[in-house]
Amino acid sequence: METAYLQTPIGTAELKGDANGLASITVLDNNKPNGTIPVTLQDAAKQFQEYFDGDRKVFDLKLNPTGTDFQKKVWNALLEIPFGKTISYLELSKQLGDVKAIRAVASANGKNPLWIVVPCHRVIGTNGDLTGYAGGLHRKKWLLEHESPAKQTTLF
């Protein structure tokens, strides 16, 4: 497993993966030097930078997260949430075929090891509230604003 660090507007991103695909992305609170990006992670690093630059809305990467079959089912459903859109935990549970599984769906969402690429930040509370994000609500808010189709502009 190889590791790369990238500076982003929300902290230092730690990418881990190998020839089998990208295994995890987390955003750290402490800064790490960028260093040399391993060949197996160069495409992921490039796409990640394009996302933060506003030039990428969809990732095209080989993914290899570790999780249960149920978690992977939830993470695959997250990949269907379009850039700039949100969905509630209840809606996601319905899409997965079991409204009663809302807590299990929320738990799987919270265990997503591929932040941003598998967009768990696009899942919100039924009432529209920002709820739970392993990286902190301040990061979830930033990501949703970054993806918002209605960008705030200044008049002066």
Side-chain angles (χ1 to χ4, degrees), residues 118-136:
V118 176
C120 55
H121 62 278
R122 296 180 189 154
V123 183
I124 59 174
T126 303
N127 61 1
D129 285 349
L130 297 185
T131 56
Y133 187 63

Side-chain angles (χ1 to χ4, degrees), residues 22-96:
L22 192 59
S24 71
I25 300 170
T26 53
V27 180
L28 310 172
D29 289 324
N30 56 336
N31 285 330
K32 296 264 187 184
N34 278 17
T36 303
I37 298 173
V39 172
T40 56
L41 296 174
Q42 286 179 357
D43 189 38
K46 178 180 178 280
Q47 289 188 39
F48 214 62
Q49 188 60 55
E50 290 169 349
Y51 169 85
F52 282 106
D53 290 344
D55 298 326
R56 177 170 292 277
K57 294 181 179 181
V58 177
F59 292 92
D60 182 23
L61 298 167
K62 185 176 180 183
L63 305 178
N64 189 26
T66 300
T68 66
D69 289 343
F70 179 77
Q71 289 170 333
K72 289 178 181 180
K73 180 179 175 183
V74 172
W75 301 337
N76 282 328
L78 294 174
L79 290 169
E80 301 301 317
I81 306 170
F83 182 95
K85 302 288 184 191
T86 57
I87 188 173
S88 71
Y89 290 98
L90 181 60
E91 290 172 283
L92 184 58
S93 296
K94 286 179 183 176
Q95 283 182 6
L96 291 166

Side-chain angles (χ1 to χ4, degrees), residues 95-116:
Q95 283 182 6
L96 291 166
D98 188 357
V99 70
K100 294 178 185 174
I102 189 168
R103 289 190 179 163
V105 167
S107 176
N109 190 65
K111 291 183 173 118
N112 168 25
L114 291 164
W115 296 7
I116 303 166

